[in-house]
Structure formats: C-alpha cells, structure tokens
Amino acid sequence: MSRLFAPLTRAVTYTRWLHLLVGAIIALVCGSVYPGLTRPGYGQWALMLLIPVPLLMAAAVIPVVRRAEGLQARLMLFPGAHARVEDGSGPREAGVSVAPSASWHDRGRTAVWLVLRLWAGCAVAFVTGQFMALALELVDATSGGPAEAESLIPVPGHGWAYALLVPVPPLVLVGVVALAGRLMASAALGLLGPSAAERLAALEERTEQLLERNRIARELHDSIGHALTVAVVQAGAARAAADPAFTDRALDAIEETGRAALEDLERVLLVLRESEQPASRRPTLTEADRLLDSARASGAEVDAEVLGALDTVPGPVSREGYRILQEALTNVLRHSGTVPIRVAVTVDDARLWLDVRNPLPVGAQVNGRSSGTGSGLRGIRERAALLGGRARTGPEEGQWRVHVELPLG
C-alpha cells in the first residue's frame, strides 16, 4: 500500500508534472492566436498540437536550446537534492547532456524531444483539466448544487455518497502524472543523452584522470619512499658510528630529504584539492646532485659521471628521469645498504641514458629484488614506457643494474 501511494510523497512527481505542463505553454499561446481557446473542438485541438511544430523544429537548430532543455530535464525530471529522495539508482541525471548541439544529429534529437514534450505536455494538461473538473463535479453532486465544471465523464444525480468518490480523481491523476513523468525521464535519457562524441570526450577525460592518479601515486611512492629510506639508513648509520660529527651530517641529510619530500607532498595535495594556487615545480635532472649528495650522506660511495648538457633535456623527460634516478638510488639503499654505486647520465641529440649499478650482496640473486617484480622497478619501467623509452633492471655480472633509455623527441 505504501508503494502505491509513494508518488504522492515524492517531490519529483510534482517537478515532473510541472515540466510536462510547461511543455504545453507554447501550444496554448499559439492556440490563443489561432484558432482560439473558446470551447475548441477536436479539430482545433489538433491544430493547436501541429501549429507549434515548425517553430520548435526551427528552435532546435539553435545549439544552446539543447543545453537549456538538458538543464531543465536534469533539474525537474530526475530525483536529486531538490527532491530530497534517494531512488537507489545513482545519478541518472548525468545521462542527460547539458552541452550545446554539436552536430545535426544532436539538433534532430532535440527537435524530436521538443515535439514530444509539446504533445506530452498537452496530453497531461488535458488529463489534468478533466480529472480536476470531475473532482469539482463530484463536490457539486455531494452538496446538491449545480455543476460548474464540465468533464467528459458525467456525474448523474446528487447525494452524499459522492463524497466518498471526491478523492479518487486527484489520486488517479497523480498516478497518471507519475507514470507520464517516468516515461518522459526515460525519453530524456534517449533524446537528450550525450552523443557519441560527448561520450568519447568523457571517456578521454576519465582516462586522463586515471592516468593522473597513477602518476601522482608514483610520485608519492618515489618521493616519500626515498625520503623514508634515506632517513632509516642515516639513522642506523649514525647509531652504529657513534660519532657526533657523523650524526650531525646524518641529521642534516635527513632534514634536507624530508623537506624535499614535504614539498612534493604539498604539491600533490594541491593538485588533488584542485586548488587555484600554483603547485610547486617538479624537480628535474638538473637537480640530480641533490639525490647523489643524499645517497652519499647515507654512507654510500657514489661515483657519478654526467656526459652532455642536462639543461637541454625536455621538461617531461627531465622530470621523469629525475624520478627514475631517485627510485634507482632508493632501491640500492633499501635492498643493498651503503654499497658503492656507479651512476652514469649521458645526453646526446636524440636520447638520454641513465645507468645505475651497485654490487649485489651475497645471496641477493635469490631474493625478490632480482626478479624485478617490485613496485619501484615496475614504476621505472612504466615511466620509461610512457615516454617511448626502454628500461632494463636485473642482475648482471655480479652487479644490480638499472639501465634506462629515453628519447628526447
């Protein structure tokens, strides 16, 4: 029983009702000019339905009309915050486009929608008038007064028994309107829904968002992971050395690395919050000395060789190269400790080469790192692949080697 009377308590029933009645306004305006609204016959009603059609088809050619109809449909045909109800089906109003017409196919669908809205609105307006007139006739029959409203369903005689029937026409009317509203909502999804081009654009935007999320995840993994690894190694080395001077150097390295990680974290949070403030600049290979000094401060012996001008490397390649070098050094400190590290960075006219080597500890060939399945190594390969390059990671002649080749153009 509660399900039967649910449309009475749902605000969307009445917003859909209003949406349908508004669609009939143009027919009433045209009908007031010709053929007139004084007791129109069936032929005149038919003219009122047909005369506005050319006007609506001409209006559908205007691109912004589709946007206006989409906004109205979203607001009035679908449950939302204004309706204060949950229908359990999710935001179906998102299936209605609010973009202007971009093609003649969109204009054609808009024209069909406008004509459908006109005819459905006139039908609902007629049904509304008839049921309300019937309700008034039942009131008159109950009170014994003369009938002041005329409906297509005559009420014979008078009597108090008609009082029991007075609520029936409004209840039936609400049910009919609720059904008509649901049908119009379904039609809106089909006729005002996004075109193939709009769906493709939305899919591309969603793909860009997912790629951005993955990039941010890699950024956090590389930056925060590097900072924590350096901090752990430095703290352990300082405790083992028991040398105040070495402890001071270790604390300085931890502070510098932590500050850089905090800057990266703040930049990422600004992007996630979509703040209007500009995000901090991402580091590039021209700042690779910071990574090398951090590794040296951890106690590792780093032999670095740079061939070519790093400042000529394009921004995207230089930024990803910095992260790749950072992850490679982090892996060395995390898995091998403070061992000698050989770093070679080479730049020519077409490519950038990054090569990081370190000796493998005894038994390292059997651990998980040698298989190259860690998330850090996977991130290195993903970064290289996104730039059209290649990355090789694994044991080679008693050493662990990370070799990356990135195109500059």
Side-chain angles (χ1 to χ4, degrees):
M1 185 63 68
S2 60
R3 185 181 181 86
L4 181 62
F5 290 98
L8 287 171
T9 60
R10 300 185 67 197
V12 71
T13 299
Y14 303 99
T15 59
R16 288 172 174 174
W17 195 351
L18 178 60
H19 183 271
L20 287 164
L21 293 178
V22 169
I25 289 179
I26 187 172
L28 297 177
V29 171
C30 291
S32 64
V33 177
Y34 179 83
L37 299 178
T38 305
R39 296 183 178 274
Y42 292 110
Q44 292 174 319
W45 277 110
L47 285 177
M48 291 172 59
L49 292 176
L50 296 176
I51 290 176
V53 170
L55 298 177
L56 294 177
M57 296 183 70
V61 176
I62 304 175
V64 75
V65 170
R66 183 175 181 82
R67 176 180 177 85
E69 291 297 318
L71 289 172
Q72 290 183 63
R74 279 194 176 191
L75 178 64
M76 305 179 74
L77 292 181
F78 296 94
H82 63 282
R84 299 179 183 175
V85 296
E86 294 290 340
D87 65 350
S89 61
R92 296 181 68 226
E93 69 274 10
V96 175
S97 174
V98 293
S101 298
S103 65
W104 284 106
H105 180 67
D106 290 345
R107 293 179 174 90
R109 289 198 299 160
T110 304
V112 174
W113 165 258
L114 290 174
V115 174
L116 176 62
R117 187 180 178 187
L118 165 70
W119 291 347
C122 289
V124 169
F126 177 77
V127 171
T128 300
Q130 288 298 312
F131 275 100
M132 296 307 296
L134 178 59
L136 292 176
E137 289 183 5
L138 289 173
V139 171
D140 292 335
T142 301
S143 62
E148 297 183 359
E150 296 183 1
S151 67
L152 296 179
I153 304 176
V155 178
H158 300 83
W160 288 101
Y162 286 115
L164 300 176
L165 299 177
V166 171
V168 174
L171 293 177
V172 174
L173 174 61
V174 172
V176 172
V177 169
L179 177 60
R182 291 177 65 89
L183 294 176
M184 283 299 291
S186 298
L189 294 175
L191 296 174
L192 297 179
S195 62
E198 291 171 341
R199 287 194 296 269
L200 180 60
L203 180 60
E204 291 177 349
E205 181 180 358
R206 176 61 177 166
T207 302
E208 289 293 331
Q209 292 175 350
L210 292 176
L211 290 175
E212 180 67 12
R213 287 176 181 269
N214 288 335
R215 187 189 66 79
I216 289 174
R218 287 196 302 268
E219 290 280 326
L220 286 178
H221 173 272
D222 293 348
S223 178
I224 305 302
H226 176 76
L228 292 177
T229 298
V230 170
V232 170
V233 173
Q234 290 280 9
R239 177 181 295 159
D243 182 0
F246 184 85
T247 300
D248 289 340
R249 291 196 301 271
L251 291 175
D252 289 340
I254 292 173
E255 180 182 7
E256 181 181 354
T257 305
R259 184 180 294 110
L262 286 175
E263 291 177 358
D264 288 338
L265 181 60
E266 180 182 4
R267 175 180 53 78
V268 169
L269 291 178
L270 285 173
V271 173
L272 292 176
R273 293 170 181 166
E274 297 181 350
S275 173
E276 295 181 357
Q277 300 178 1
S280 302
R281 180 182 59 85
R282 294 173 59 195
T284 64
L285 275 177
T286 58
E287 303 168 67
D289 288 342
R290 186 172 69 179
L291 296 176
L292 302 176
D293 292 342
S294 177
R296 292 189 182 103
S298 299
E301 180 183 342
V302 180
D303 182 11
E305 180 182 14
V306 178
L307 299 177
L310 294 179
D311 55 357
T312 62
V313 178
V317 178
S318 186
R319 288 190 291 268
E320 295 303 317
Y322 178 93
R323 292 303 184 192
I324 290 173
L325 179 59
Q326 183 182 54
E327 180 59 33
L329 294 174
T330 301
N331 277 340
V332 175
L333 297 175
R334 180 181 298 147
H335 297 287
S336 300
T338 55
V339 297
I341 305 172
R342 169 72 177 172
V343 177
V345 182
T346 305
V347 182
D348 64 13
D349 295 336
R351 294 191 176 273
L352 165 70
W353 285 272
L354 294 172
D355 193 87
V356 180
R357 306 181 187 216
N358 66 278
L360 284 171
V362 177
Q365 286 83 353
V366 298
N367 66 16
R369 182 171 180 256
S370 64
S371 64
T373 59
S375 60
L377 298 178
R378 184 171 62 249
I380 289 176
R381 290 191 288 268
E382 289 176 353
R383 289 179 185 275
L386 286 174
L387 293 173
R390 297 178 298 174
R392 300 197 311 271
T393 61
E396 182 178 311
E397 299 179 354
Q399 292 185 320
W400 181 267
R401 185 184 184 190
V402 175
H403 183 79
V404 180
E405 180 181 347
L406 302 176
L408 300 183

